Each structure stands twice: as C-alpha cells, then as structure tokens.
mmCIF file with all atom_site columns, all heavy atoms in Angstrom:
data_model
loop_
_atom_site.group_PDB
_atom_site.id
_atom_site.type_symbol
_atom_site.label_atom_id
_atom_site.label_alt_id
_atom_site.label_comp_id
_atom_site.label_asym_id
_atom_site.label_entity_id
_atom_site.label_seq_id
_atom_site.pdbx_PDB_ins_code
_atom_site.Cartn_x
_atom_site.Cartn_y
_atom_site.Cartn_z
_atom_site.occupancy
_atom_site.B_iso_or_equiv
_atom_site.pdbx_formal_charge
_atom_site.auth_seq_id
_atom_site.auth_comp_id
_atom_site.auth_asym_id
_atom_site.auth_atom_id
_atom_site.pdbx_PDB_model_num
ATOM 1   N N   . LEU A 1 1  ? 87.097 52.615 95.141 1.00 98.00 ? 1  LEU A N   1
ATOM 2   C CA  . LEU A 1 1  ? 87.259 53.223 93.835 1.00 98.00 ? 1  LEU A CA  1
ATOM 3   C C   . LEU A 1 1  ? 88.192 54.322 93.982 1.00 98.00 ? 1  LEU A C   1
ATOM 4   O O   . LEU A 1 1  ? 87.769 55.412 94.570 1.00 98.00 ? 1  LEU A O   1
ATOM 5   C CB  . LEU A 1 1  ? 85.937 53.502 93.260 1.00 98.00 ? 1  LEU A CB  1
ATOM 6   C CG  . LEU A 1 1  ? 86.056 54.082 91.840 1.00 98.00 ? 1  LEU A CG  1
ATOM 7   C CD1 . LEU A 1 1  ? 86.604 53.008 90.842 1.00 98.00 ? 1  LEU A CD1 1
ATOM 8   C CD2 . LEU A 1 1  ? 84.723 54.619 91.320 1.00 98.00 ? 1  LEU A CD2 1
ATOM 9   N N   . GLN A 1 2  ? 89.411 54.205 93.511 1.00 98.00 ? 2  GLN A N   1
ATOM 10  C CA  . GLN A 1 2  ? 90.287 55.403 93.541 1.00 98.00 ? 2  GLN A CA  1
ATOM 11  C C   . GLN A 1 2  ? 90.086 56.085 92.114 1.00 98.00 ? 2  GLN A C   1
ATOM 12  O O   . GLN A 1 2  ? 90.354 55.322 91.093 1.00 98.00 ? 2  GLN A O   1
ATOM 13  C CB  . GLN A 1 2  ? 91.695 54.878 93.651 1.00 98.00 ? 2  GLN A CB  1
ATOM 14  C CG  . GLN A 1 2  ? 92.747 56.087 93.523 1.00 98.00 ? 2  GLN A CG  1
ATOM 15  C CD  . GLN A 1 2  ? 92.752 56.995 94.714 1.00 98.00 ? 2  GLN A CD  1
ATOM 16  O OE1 . GLN A 1 2  ? 92.657 56.669 95.883 1.00 98.00 ? 2  GLN A OE1 1
ATOM 17  N NE2 . GLN A 1 2  ? 92.938 58.338 94.503 1.00 98.00 ? 2  GLN A NE2 1
ATOM 18  N N   . MET A 1 3  ? 89.814 57.456 92.058 1.00 98.00 ? 3  MET A N   1
ATOM 19  C CA  . MET A 1 3  ? 89.709 58.161 91.045 1.00 98.00 ? 3  MET A CA  1
ATOM 20  C C   . MET A 1 3  ? 90.705 59.285 91.006 1.00 98.00 ? 3  MET A C   1
ATOM 21  O O   . MET A 1 3  ? 90.835 60.130 91.930 1.00 98.00 ? 3  MET A O   1
ATOM 22  C CB  . MET A 1 3  ? 88.217 58.759 90.929 1.00 98.00 ? 3  MET A CB  1
ATOM 23  C CG  . MET A 1 3  ? 87.179 57.826 90.659 1.00 98.00 ? 3  MET A CG  1
ATOM 24  S SD  . MET A 1 3  ? 86.966 57.098 89.032 1.00 98.00 ? 3  MET A SD  1
ATOM 25  C CE  . MET A 1 3  ? 86.308 58.612 88.205 1.00 98.00 ? 3  MET A CE  1
ATOM 26  N N   . ASN A 1 4  ? 91.518 59.383 89.965 1.00 98.00 ? 4  ASN A N   1
ATOM 27  C CA  . ASN A 1 4  ? 92.553 60.368 89.692 1.00 98.00 ? 4  ASN A CA  1
ATOM 28  C C   . ASN A 1 4  ? 92.196 61.169 88.503 1.00 98.00 ? 4  ASN A C   1
ATOM 29  O O   . ASN A 1 4  ? 91.512 60.809 87.688 1.00 98.00 ? 4  ASN A O   1
ATOM 30  C CB  . ASN A 1 4  ? 93.912 59.776 89.568 1.00 98.00 ? 4  ASN A CB  1
ATOM 31  C CG  . ASN A 1 4  ? 94.308 58.982 90.775 1.00 98.00 ? 4  ASN A CG  1
ATOM 32  O OD1 . ASN A 1 4  ? 93.960 59.398 91.906 1.00 98.00 ? 4  ASN A OD1 1
ATOM 33  N ND2 . ASN A 1 4  ? 94.971 57.826 90.514 1.00 98.00 ? 4  ASN A ND2 1
ATOM 34  N N   . SER A 1 5  ? 92.812 62.375 88.360 1.00 98.00 ? 5  SER A N   1
ATOM 35  C CA  . SER A 1 5  ? 92.711 63.230 87.228 1.00 98.00 ? 5  SER A CA  1
ATOM 36  C C   . SER A 1 5  ? 91.214 63.498 86.926 1.00 98.00 ? 5  SER A C   1
ATOM 37  O O   . SER A 1 5  ? 90.847 63.300 85.759 1.00 98.00 ? 5  SER A O   1
ATOM 38  C CB  . SER A 1 5  ? 93.420 62.734 85.985 1.00 98.00 ? 5  SER A CB  1
ATOM 39  O OG  . SER A 1 5  ? 94.860 62.552 86.258 1.00 98.00 ? 5  SER A OG  1
ATOM 40  N N   . LEU A 1 6  ? 90.508 63.924 87.937 1.00 98.00 ? 6  LEU A N   1
ATOM 41  C CA  . LEU A 1 6  ? 88.986 63.863 87.750 1.00 98.00 ? 6  LEU A CA  1
ATOM 42  C C   . LEU A 1 6  ? 88.551 64.987 86.817 1.00 98.00 ? 6  LEU A C   1
ATOM 43  O O   . LEU A 1 6  ? 89.292 66.138 86.673 1.00 98.00 ? 6  LEU A O   1
ATOM 44  C CB  . LEU A 1 6  ? 88.425 64.025 89.155 1.00 98.00 ? 6  LEU A CB  1
ATOM 45  C CG  . LEU A 1 6  ? 88.292 63.012 90.035 1.00 98.00 ? 6  LEU A CG  1
ATOM 46  C CD1 . LEU A 1 6  ? 88.138 63.400 91.468 1.00 98.00 ? 6  LEU A CD1 1
ATOM 47  C CD2 . LEU A 1 6  ? 87.246 62.074 89.473 1.00 98.00 ? 6  LEU A CD2 1
ATOM 48  N N   . LYS A 1 7  ? 87.646 64.775 86.085 1.00 98.00 ? 7  LYS A N   1
ATOM 49  C CA  . LYS A 1 7  ? 87.093 65.804 85.099 1.00 98.00 ? 7  LYS A CA  1
ATOM 50  C C   . LYS A 1 7  ? 85.657 66.192 85.412 1.00 98.00 ? 7  LYS A C   1
ATOM 51  O O   . LYS A 1 7  ? 84.968 65.345 86.198 1.00 98.00 ? 7  LYS A O   1
ATOM 52  C CB  . LYS A 1 7  ? 87.126 65.079 83.714 1.00 98.00 ? 7  LYS A CB  1
ATOM 53  C CG  . LYS A 1 7  ? 88.470 64.563 83.210 1.00 98.00 ? 7  LYS A CG  1
ATOM 54  C CD  . LYS A 1 7  ? 88.189 63.813 81.956 1.00 98.00 ? 7  LYS A CD  1
ATOM 55  C CE  . LYS A 1 7  ? 89.606 63.269 81.380 1.00 98.00 ? 7  LYS A CE  1
ATOM 56  N NZ  . LYS A 1 7  ? 89.440 62.556 80.101 1.00 98.00 ? 7  LYS A NZ  1
ATOM 57  N N   . PRO A 1 8  ? 85.104 67.306 85.020 1.00 98.00 ? 8  PRO A N   1
ATOM 58  C CA  . PRO A 1 8  ? 83.807 67.735 85.335 1.00 98.00 ? 8  PRO A CA  1
ATOM 59  C C   . PRO A 1 8  ? 82.752 66.713 84.850 1.00 98.00 ? 8  PRO A C   1
ATOM 60  O O   . PRO A 1 8  ? 81.780 66.478 85.574 1.00 98.00 ? 8  PRO A O   1
ATOM 61  C CB  . PRO A 1 8  ? 83.654 68.991 84.483 1.00 98.00 ? 8  PRO A CB  1
ATOM 62  C CG  . PRO A 1 8  ? 85.025 69.593 84.499 1.00 98.00 ? 8  PRO A CG  1
ATOM 63  C CD  . PRO A 1 8  ? 86.026 68.399 84.274 1.00 98.00 ? 8  PRO A CD  1
ATOM 64  N N   . GLU A 1 9  ? 83.051 65.851 83.830 1.00 97.00 ? 9  GLU A N   1
ATOM 65  C CA  . GLU A 1 9  ? 82.128 64.882 83.335 1.00 97.00 ? 9  GLU A CA  1
ATOM 66  C C   . GLU A 1 9  ? 82.018 63.646 84.339 1.00 97.00 ? 9  GLU A C   1
ATOM 67  O O   . GLU A 1 9  ? 81.240 62.834 84.120 1.00 97.00 ? 9  GLU A O   1
ATOM 68  C CB  . GLU A 1 9  ? 82.429 64.421 81.838 1.00 97.00 ? 9  GLU A CB  1
ATOM 69  C CG  . GLU A 1 9  ? 83.956 64.146 81.659 1.00 97.00 ? 9  GLU A CG  1
ATOM 70  C CD  . GLU A 1 9  ? 84.630 65.268 81.046 1.00 97.00 ? 9  GLU A CD  1
ATOM 71  O OE1 . GLU A 1 9  ? 84.464 66.435 81.613 1.00 97.00 ? 9  GLU A OE1 1
ATOM 72  O OE2 . GLU A 1 9  ? 85.373 65.080 80.135 1.00 97.00 ? 9  GLU A OE2 1
ATOM 73  N N   . ASP A 1 10 ? 82.886 63.590 85.284 1.00 98.00 ? 10 ASP A N   1
ATOM 74  C CA  . ASP A 1 10 ? 82.841 62.575 86.178 1.00 98.00 ? 10 ASP A CA  1
ATOM 75  C C   . ASP A 1 10 ? 81.789 62.894 87.334 1.00 98.00 ? 10 ASP A C   1
ATOM 76  O O   . ASP A 1 10 ? 81.562 62.034 88.115 1.00 98.00 ? 10 ASP A O   1
ATOM 77  C CB  . ASP A 1 10 ? 84.255 62.361 86.931 1.00 98.00 ? 10 ASP A CB  1
ATOM 78  C CG  . ASP A 1 10 ? 85.286 61.755 85.962 1.00 98.00 ? 10 ASP A CG  1
ATOM 79  O OD1 . ASP A 1 10 ? 84.967 60.963 85.150 1.00 98.00 ? 10 ASP A OD1 1
ATOM 80  O OD2 . ASP A 1 10 ? 86.425 62.250 86.163 1.00 98.00 ? 10 ASP A OD2 1
ATOM 81  N N   . THR A 1 11 ? 81.345 64.069 87.154 1.00 98.00 ? 11 THR A N   1
ATOM 82  C CA  . THR A 1 11 ? 80.267 64.426 88.272 1.00 98.00 ? 11 THR A CA  1
ATOM 83  C C   . THR A 1 11 ? 79.020 63.496 88.203 1.00 98.00 ? 11 THR A C   1
ATOM 84  O O   . THR A 1 11 ? 78.411 63.347 87.142 1.00 98.00 ? 11 THR A O   1
ATOM 85  C CB  . THR A 1 11 ? 79.848 65.916 87.984 1.00 98.00 ? 11 THR A CB  1
ATOM 86  O OG1 . THR A 1 11 ? 81.060 66.757 88.268 1.00 98.00 ? 11 THR A OG1 1
ATOM 87  C CG2 . THR A 1 11 ? 78.676 66.269 89.010 1.00 98.00 ? 11 THR A CG2 1
ATOM 88  N N   . ALA A 1 12 ? 78.691 62.918 89.339 1.00 98.00 ? 12 ALA A N   1
ATOM 89  C CA  . ALA A 1 12 ? 77.618 62.000 89.339 1.00 98.00 ? 12 ALA A CA  1
ATOM 90  C C   . ALA A 1 12 ? 77.346 61.433 90.705 1.00 98.00 ? 12 ALA A C   1
ATOM 91  O O   . ALA A 1 12 ? 78.094 61.614 91.577 1.00 98.00 ? 12 ALA A O   1
ATOM 92  C CB  . ALA A 1 12 ? 77.793 60.751 88.257 1.00 98.00 ? 12 ALA A CB  1
ATOM 93  N N   . VAL A 1 13 ? 76.274 60.686 90.824 1.00 98.00 ? 13 VAL A N   1
ATOM 94  C CA  . VAL A 1 13 ? 76.149 59.921 92.041 1.00 98.00 ? 13 VAL A CA  1
ATOM 95  C C   . VAL A 1 13 ? 76.721 58.652 91.711 1.00 98.00 ? 13 VAL A C   1
ATOM 96  O O   . VAL A 1 13 ? 76.360 57.974 90.821 1.00 98.00 ? 13 VAL A O   1
ATOM 97  C CB  . VAL A 1 13 ? 74.635 59.741 92.519 1.00 98.00 ? 13 VAL A CB  1
ATOM 98  C CG1 . VAL A 1 13 ? 74.490 58.911 93.742 1.00 98.00 ? 13 VAL A CG1 1
ATOM 99  C CG2 . VAL A 1 13 ? 74.065 61.113 92.743 1.00 98.00 ? 13 VAL A CG2 1
ATOM 100 N N   . TYR A 1 14 ? 77.628 58.075 92.677 1.00 98.00 ? 14 TYR A N   1
ATOM 101 C CA  . TYR A 1 14 ? 78.367 56.867 92.494 1.00 98.00 ? 14 TYR A CA  1
ATOM 102 C C   . TYR A 1 14 ? 77.784 55.779 93.454 1.00 98.00 ? 14 TYR A C   1
ATOM 103 O O   . TYR A 1 14 ? 77.623 56.130 94.664 1.00 98.00 ? 14 TYR A O   1
ATOM 104 C CB  . TYR A 1 14 ? 79.802 56.981 92.847 1.00 98.00 ? 14 TYR A CB  1
ATOM 105 C CG  . TYR A 1 14 ? 80.654 57.623 91.720 1.00 98.00 ? 14 TYR A CG  1
ATOM 106 C CD1 . TYR A 1 14 ? 80.365 58.979 91.388 1.00 98.00 ? 14 TYR A CD1 1
ATOM 107 C CD2 . TYR A 1 14 ? 81.454 56.923 90.920 1.00 98.00 ? 14 TYR A CD2 1
ATOM 108 C CE1 . TYR A 1 14 ? 81.066 59.602 90.414 1.00 98.00 ? 14 TYR A CE1 1
ATOM 109 C CE2 . TYR A 1 14 ? 82.180 57.614 89.827 1.00 98.00 ? 14 TYR A CE2 1
ATOM 110 C CZ  . TYR A 1 14 ? 81.952 58.967 89.588 1.00 98.00 ? 14 TYR A CZ  1
ATOM 111 O OH  . TYR A 1 14 ? 82.646 59.515 88.549 1.00 98.00 ? 14 TYR A OH  1
ATOM 112 N N   . TYR A 1 15 ? 77.362 54.587 92.870 1.00 98.00 ? 15 TYR A N   1
ATOM 113 C CA  . TYR A 1 15 ? 76.900 53.586 93.532 1.00 98.00 ? 15 TYR A CA  1
ATOM 114 C C   . TYR A 1 15 ? 77.653 52.270 93.621 1.00 98.00 ? 15 TYR A C   1
ATOM 115 O O   . TYR A 1 15 ? 78.217 51.869 92.550 1.00 98.00 ? 15 TYR A O   1
ATOM 116 C CB  . TYR A 1 15 ? 75.504 53.158 92.870 1.00 98.00 ? 15 TYR A CB  1
ATOM 117 C CG  . TYR A 1 15 ? 74.289 54.208 92.912 1.00 98.00 ? 15 TYR A CG  1
ATOM 118 C CD1 . TYR A 1 15 ? 74.293 55.132 91.754 1.00 98.00 ? 15 TYR A CD1 1
ATOM 119 C CD2 . TYR A 1 15 ? 73.469 54.335 93.914 1.00 98.00 ? 15 TYR A CD2 1
ATOM 120 C CE1 . TYR A 1 15 ? 73.338 56.070 91.768 1.00 98.00 ? 15 TYR A CE1 1
ATOM 121 C CE2 . TYR A 1 15 ? 72.508 55.368 93.903 1.00 98.00 ? 15 TYR A CE2 1
ATOM 122 C CZ  . TYR A 1 15 ? 72.409 56.262 92.857 1.00 98.00 ? 15 TYR A CZ  1
ATOM 123 O OH  . TYR A 1 15 ? 71.524 57.194 92.818 1.00 98.00 ? 15 TYR A OH  1
ATOM 124 N N   . CYS A 1 16 ? 77.790 51.631 94.693 1.00 97.00 ? 16 CYS A N   1
ATOM 125 C CA  . CYS A 1 16 ? 78.372 50.373 94.953 1.00 97.00 ? 16 CYS A CA  1
ATOM 126 C C   . CYS A 1 16 ? 77.350 49.316 94.748 1.00 97.00 ? 16 CYS A C   1
ATOM 127 O O   . CYS A 1 16 ? 76.183 49.371 95.221 1.00 97.00 ? 16 CYS A O   1
ATOM 128 C CB  . CYS A 1 16 ? 79.030 50.276 96.256 1.00 97.00 ? 16 CYS A CB  1
ATOM 129 S SG  . CYS A 1 16 ? 79.916 48.694 96.560 1.00 97.00 ? 16 CYS A SG  1
ATOM 130 N N   . ALA A 1 17 ? 77.810 48.106 94.211 1.00 97.00 ? 17 ALA A N   1
ATOM 131 C CA  . ALA A 1 17 ? 76.779 47.108 94.045 1.00 97.00 ? 17 ALA A CA  1
ATOM 132 C C   . ALA A 1 17 ? 77.471 45.726 94.133 1.00 97.00 ? 17 ALA A C   1
ATOM 133 O O   . ALA A 1 17 ? 78.692 45.586 93.853 1.00 97.00 ? 17 ALA A O   1
ATOM 134 C CB  . ALA A 1 17 ? 76.090 47.119 92.643 1.00 97.00 ? 17 ALA A CB  1
ATOM 135 N N   . ALA A 1 18 ? 76.669 44.794 94.552 1.00 96.00 ? 18 ALA A N   1
ATOM 136 C CA  . ALA A 1 18 ? 77.294 43.461 94.834 1.00 96.00 ? 18 ALA A CA  1
ATOM 137 C C   . ALA A 1 18 ? 76.437 42.331 94.058 1.00 96.00 ? 18 ALA A C   1
ATOM 138 O O   . ALA A 1 18 ? 75.209 42.482 94.008 1.00 96.00 ? 18 ALA A O   1
ATOM 139 C CB  . ALA A 1 18 ? 77.198 43.049 96.252 1.00 96.00 ? 18 ALA A CB  1
ATOM 140 N N   . SER A 1 19 ? 77.093 41.409 93.420 1.00 96.00 ? 19 SER A N   1
ATOM 141 C CA  . SER A 1 19 ? 76.528 40.246 92.717 1.00 96.00 ? 19 SER A CA  1
ATOM 142 C C   . SER A 1 19 ? 76.957 38.863 93.312 1.00 96.00 ? 19 SER A C   1
ATOM 143 O O   . SER A 1 19 ? 78.071 38.805 93.625 1.00 96.00 ? 19 SER A O   1
ATOM 144 C CB  . SER A 1 19 ? 76.900 40.348 91.272 1.00 96.00 ? 19 SER A CB  1
ATOM 145 O OG  . SER A 1 19 ? 76.474 39.258 90.439 1.00 96.00 ? 19 SER A OG  1
ATOM 146 N N   . THR A 1 20 ? 75.945 38.131 93.224 1.00 94.00 ? 20 THR A N   1
ATOM 147 C CA  . THR A 1 20 ? 76.279 36.606 93.730 1.00 94.00 ? 20 THR A CA  1
ATOM 148 C C   . THR A 1 20 ? 76.961 35.810 92.710 1.00 94.00 ? 20 THR A C   1
ATOM 149 O O   . THR A 1 20 ? 77.432 34.760 92.933 1.00 94.00 ? 20 THR A O   1
ATOM 150 C CB  . THR A 1 20 ? 75.102 35.988 94.254 1.00 94.00 ? 20 THR A CB  1
ATOM 151 O OG1 . THR A 1 20 ? 74.150 35.891 93.118 1.00 94.00 ? 20 THR A OG1 1
ATOM 152 C CG2 . THR A 1 20 ? 74.500 36.648 95.362 1.00 94.00 ? 20 THR A CG2 1
ATOM 153 N N   . GLN A 1 21 ? 76.989 36.355 91.466 1.00 94.00 ? 21 GLN A N   1
ATOM 154 C CA  . GLN A 1 21 ? 77.631 35.664 90.255 1.00 94.00 ? 21 GLN A CA  1
ATOM 155 C C   . GLN A 1 21 ? 79.186 35.868 90.309 1.00 94.00 ? 21 GLN A C   1
ATOM 156 O O   . GLN A 1 21 ? 79.628 36.938 90.800 1.00 94.00 ? 21 GLN A O   1
ATOM 157 C CB  . GLN A 1 21 ? 77.105 36.125 88.960 1.00 94.00 ? 21 GLN A CB  1
ATOM 158 C CG  . GLN A 1 21 ? 75.615 35.889 88.790 1.00 94.00 ? 21 GLN A CG  1
ATOM 159 C CD  . GLN A 1 21 ? 75.146 36.333 87.499 1.00 94.00 ? 21 GLN A CD  1
ATOM 160 O OE1 . GLN A 1 21 ? 75.797 36.301 86.364 1.00 94.00 ? 21 GLN A OE1 1
ATOM 161 N NE2 . GLN A 1 21 ? 73.847 36.637 87.305 1.00 94.00 ? 21 GLN A NE2 1
ATOM 162 N N   . PHE A 1 22 ? 79.941 34.835 89.952 1.00 91.00 ? 22 PHE A N   1
ATOM 163 C CA  . PHE A 1 22 ? 81.283 34.989 90.005 1.00 91.00 ? 22 PHE A CA  1
ATOM 164 C C   . PHE A 1 22 ? 81.848 36.139 88.990 1.00 91.00 ? 22 PHE A C   1
ATOM 165 O O   . PHE A 1 22 ? 82.839 36.720 89.248 1.00 91.00 ? 22 PHE A O   1
ATOM 166 C CB  . PHE A 1 22 ? 81.937 33.674 89.607 1.00 91.00 ? 22 PHE A CB  1
ATOM 167 C CG  . PHE A 1 22 ? 82.130 32.687 90.773 1.00 91.00 ? 22 PHE A CG  1
ATOM 168 C CD1 . PHE A 1 22 ? 81.199 31.744 91.057 1.00 91.00 ? 22 PHE A CD1 1
ATOM 169 C CD2 . PHE A 1 22 ? 83.255 32.841 91.564 1.00 91.00 ? 22 PHE A CD2 1
ATOM 170 C CE1 . PHE A 1 22 ? 81.313 30.850 92.099 1.00 91.00 ? 22 PHE A CE1 1
ATOM 171 C CE2 . PHE A 1 22 ? 83.325 31.913 92.653 1.00 91.00 ? 22 PHE A CE2 1
ATOM 172 C CZ  . PHE A 1 22 ? 82.463 31.079 93.032 1.00 91.00 ? 22 PHE A CZ  1
ATOM 173 N N   . TRP A 1 23 ? 81.144 36.275 88.047 1.00 94.00 ? 23 TRP A N   1
ATOM 174 C CA  . TRP A 1 23 ? 81.426 37.413 87.104 1.00 94.00 ? 23 TRP A CA  1
ATOM 175 C C   . TRP A 1 23 ? 80.172 37.985 86.447 1.00 94.00 ? 23 TRP A C   1
ATOM 176 O O   . TRP A 1 23 ? 79.727 37.665 85.435 1.00 94.00 ? 23 TRP A O   1
ATOM 177 C CB  . TRP A 1 23 ? 82.428 37.073 85.994 1.00 94.00 ? 23 TRP A CB  1
ATOM 178 C CG  . TRP A 1 23 ? 82.982 38.200 85.155 1.00 94.00 ? 23 TRP A CG  1
ATOM 179 C CD1 . TRP A 1 23 ? 82.854 38.317 83.910 1.00 94.00 ? 23 TRP A CD1 1
ATOM 180 C CD2 . TRP A 1 23 ? 83.765 39.058 85.675 1.00 94.00 ? 23 TRP A CD2 1
ATOM 181 N NE1 . TRP A 1 23 ? 83.333 39.538 83.465 1.00 94.00 ? 23 TRP A NE1 1
ATOM 182 C CE2 . TRP A 1 23 ? 84.027 40.086 84.634 1.00 94.00 ? 23 TRP A CE2 1
ATOM 183 C CE3 . TRP A 1 23 ? 84.224 39.487 86.930 1.00 94.00 ? 23 TRP A CE3 1
ATOM 184 C CZ2 . TRP A 1 23 ? 84.811 41.261 84.819 1.00 94.00 ? 23 TRP A CZ2 1
ATOM 185 C CZ3 . TRP A 1 23 ? 85.008 40.700 87.150 1.00 94.00 ? 23 TRP A CZ3 1
ATOM 186 C CH2 . TRP A 1 23 ? 85.225 41.545 86.015 1.00 94.00 ? 23 TRP A CH2 1
ATOM 187 N N   . GLY A 1 24 ? 79.653 38.845 87.211 1.00 91.00 ? 24 GLY A N   1
ATOM 188 C CA  . GLY A 1 24 ? 78.386 39.654 86.800 1.00 91.00 ? 24 GLY A CA  1
ATOM 189 C C   . GLY A 1 24 ? 78.851 40.898 86.060 1.00 91.00 ? 24 GLY A C   1
ATOM 190 O O   . GLY A 1 24 ? 79.818 41.452 86.437 1.00 91.00 ? 24 GLY A O   1
ATOM 191 N N   . THR A 1 25 ? 78.241 41.162 85.019 1.00 92.00 ? 25 THR A N   1
ATOM 192 C CA  . THR A 1 25 ? 78.525 42.264 84.234 1.00 92.00 ? 25 THR A CA  1
ATOM 193 C C   . THR A 1 25 ? 77.342 43.235 83.911 1.00 92.00 ? 25 THR A C   1
ATOM 194 O O   . THR A 1 25 ? 77.553 44.381 83.441 1.00 92.00 ? 25 THR A O   1
ATOM 195 C CB  . THR A 1 25 ? 79.137 41.853 82.832 1.00 92.00 ? 25 THR A CB  1
ATOM 196 O OG1 . THR A 1 25 ? 78.249 40.969 82.169 1.00 92.00 ? 25 THR A OG1 1
ATOM 197 C CG2 . THR A 1 25 ? 80.465 40.995 83.057 1.00 92.00 ? 25 THR A CG2 1
ATOM 198 N N   . ARG A 1 26 ? 76.269 42.720 84.059 1.00 93.00 ? 26 ARG A N   1
ATOM 199 C CA  . ARG A 1 26 ? 74.903 43.560 83.694 1.00 93.00 ? 26 ARG A CA  1
ATOM 200 C C   . ARG A 1 26 ? 74.453 44.082 85.206 1.00 93.00 ? 26 ARG A C   1
ATOM 201 O O   . ARG A 1 26 ? 74.571 43.422 86.098 1.00 93.00 ? 26 ARG A O   1
ATOM 202 C CB  . ARG A 1 26 ? 73.915 42.661 82.999 1.00 93.00 ? 26 ARG A CB  1
ATOM 203 C CG  . ARG A 1 26 ? 74.330 42.080 81.794 1.00 93.00 ? 26 ARG A CG  1
ATOM 204 C CD  . ARG A 1 26 ? 73.323 41.057 81.186 1.00 93.00 ? 26 ARG A CD  1
ATOM 205 N NE  . ARG A 1 26 ? 73.121 39.964 82.280 1.00 93.00 ? 26 ARG A NE  1
ATOM 206 C CZ  . ARG A 1 26 ? 72.203 39.075 82.144 1.00 93.00 ? 26 ARG A CZ  1
ATOM 207 N NH1 . ARG A 1 26 ? 71.311 39.094 81.119 1.00 93.00 ? 26 ARG A NH1 1
ATOM 208 N NH2 . ARG A 1 26 ? 72.094 38.113 83.066 1.00 93.00 ? 26 ARG A NH2 1
ATOM 209 N N   . GLN A 1 27 ? 73.736 45.146 84.980 1.00 94.00 ? 27 GLN A N   1
ATOM 210 C CA  . GLN A 1 27 ? 73.077 45.873 86.174 1.00 94.00 ? 27 GLN A CA  1
ATOM 211 C C   . GLN A 1 27 ? 72.064 44.934 86.852 1.00 94.00 ? 27 GLN A C   1
ATOM 212 O O   . GLN A 1 27 ? 72.033 44.727 88.182 1.00 94.00 ? 27 GLN A O   1
ATOM 213 C CB  . GLN A 1 27 ? 72.421 47.140 85.815 1.00 94.00 ? 27 GLN A CB  1
ATOM 214 C CG  . GLN A 1 27 ? 73.485 48.169 85.528 1.00 94.00 ? 27 GLN A CG  1
ATOM 215 C CD  . GLN A 1 27 ? 72.714 49.627 85.542 1.00 94.00 ? 27 GLN A CD  1
ATOM 216 O OE1 . GLN A 1 27 ? 71.971 49.833 86.422 1.00 94.00 ? 27 GLN A OE1 1
ATOM 217 N NE2 . GLN A 1 27 ? 73.189 50.487 84.704 1.00 94.00 ? 27 GLN A NE2 1
ATOM 218 N N   . ALA A 1 28 ? 71.527 43.994 85.949 1.00 95.00 ? 28 ALA A N   1
ATOM 219 C CA  . ALA A 1 28 ? 70.540 43.110 86.464 1.00 95.00 ? 28 ALA A CA  1
ATOM 220 C C   . ALA A 1 28 ? 71.232 41.916 87.213 1.00 95.00 ? 28 ALA A C   1
ATOM 221 O O   . ALA A 1 28 ? 70.560 41.256 88.000 1.00 95.00 ? 28 ALA A O   1
ATOM 222 C CB  . ALA A 1 28 ? 69.718 42.386 85.411 1.00 95.00 ? 28 ALA A CB  1
#
C-alpha cells in the first residue's frame, strides 16, 4: 500500500487481510 500526500487523519493502525473469495468486499 503506497500512501502519498499523507494527512493527519490518515493516522491509524493499518491491517492487511486475505480473502478466499475472488472478490471479497466485506470484513467478514
């Protein structure tokens, strides 16, 4: 994940996740 022009509101813990679905869109 390349992040440019970062803003204070981008401050967070960033998580990577993997889905077995070809196109998963929900956290579940």
Side-chain angles (χ1 to χ4, degrees):
L1 181 68
Q2 177 71 40
M3 294 281 290
N4 301 322
S5 301
L6 285 162
K7 305 175 180 179
E9 49 263 47
D10 293 319
T11 296
V13 176
Y14 284 70
Y15 297 90
C16 177
S19 174
T20 59
Q21 299 184 26
F22 274 95
W23 189 241
T25 58
R26 304 170 300 173
Q27 293 193 36

